[in-house]
Amino acid sequence: MSEAPLNEPETVRDLADIPAVEVISRAAVMLMSSAAEKLGLADDDPDTSPRRDLDEARRVITALAGLVTASVEYLGPHAGPIREGLQSLQRAFRESSAHPDAPGKGPGEKYTGPVY
């Protein structure tokens, strides 16, 4: 692949060669990583993490839930691990919250259903 700027057609052709399941999976992994960082999970003590931002984590987890729900039929064998990762993040969010949301009201749960 050449180092063409993003606005040149060659780059678009290269992106067009990537299967949709790979694009969706990469986006899901990026959202999962972002949510984990925003929950402080990358630090030794998430409760004192300077990167912890539950409002931002809620947004990213909800976006991930929407992506996963909308694309689950296309993910094939990738669906299970991605769903498990999403549920782990939803549980971590609930555990991190001083006042946890009611079941079904947590981040992304309007798409996934309640996570306990």
Side-chain angles (χ1 to χ4, degrees):
M1 183 166 112
S2 69
E3 295 295 320
L6 290 178
N7 61 350
E8 289 191 14
E10 183 178 353
T11 302
V12 172
R13 279 193 308 266
D14 291 341
L15 185 58
D17 293 336
I18 301 171
V21 67
E22 187 174 339
V23 173
I24 295 165
S25 296
R26 285 183 184 186
V29 169
M30 179 181 277
L31 290 167
M32 281 189 231
S33 296
S34 175
E37 287 283 343
K38 292 175 186 316
L39 288 169
L41 300 177
D43 294 314
D44 291 334
D45 183 5
D47 292 332
T48 61
S49 172
R51 289 183 283 276
R52 188 176 206 176
D53 185 334
L54 295 182
D55 186 49
E56 286 285 304
R58 176 183 296 277
R59 294 172 190 193
V60 176
I61 293 168
T62 299
L64 173 62
L67 174 65
V68 171
T69 301
S71 59
V72 71
E73 68 182 289
Y74 308 116
L75 293 174
H78 304 281
I82 291 173
R83 277 181 152 167
E84 289 171 16
L86 169 59
Q87 289 175 352
S88 292
L89 290 165
Q90 288 172 310
R91 281 190 213 94
F93 183 91
R94 184 175 306 285
E95 291 169 8
S96 298
S97 298
H99 303 286
D101 298 314
K105 301 295 183 186
E109 291 183 11
K110 69 180 179 181
Y111 302 113
T112 64
V115 175
Y116 300 96

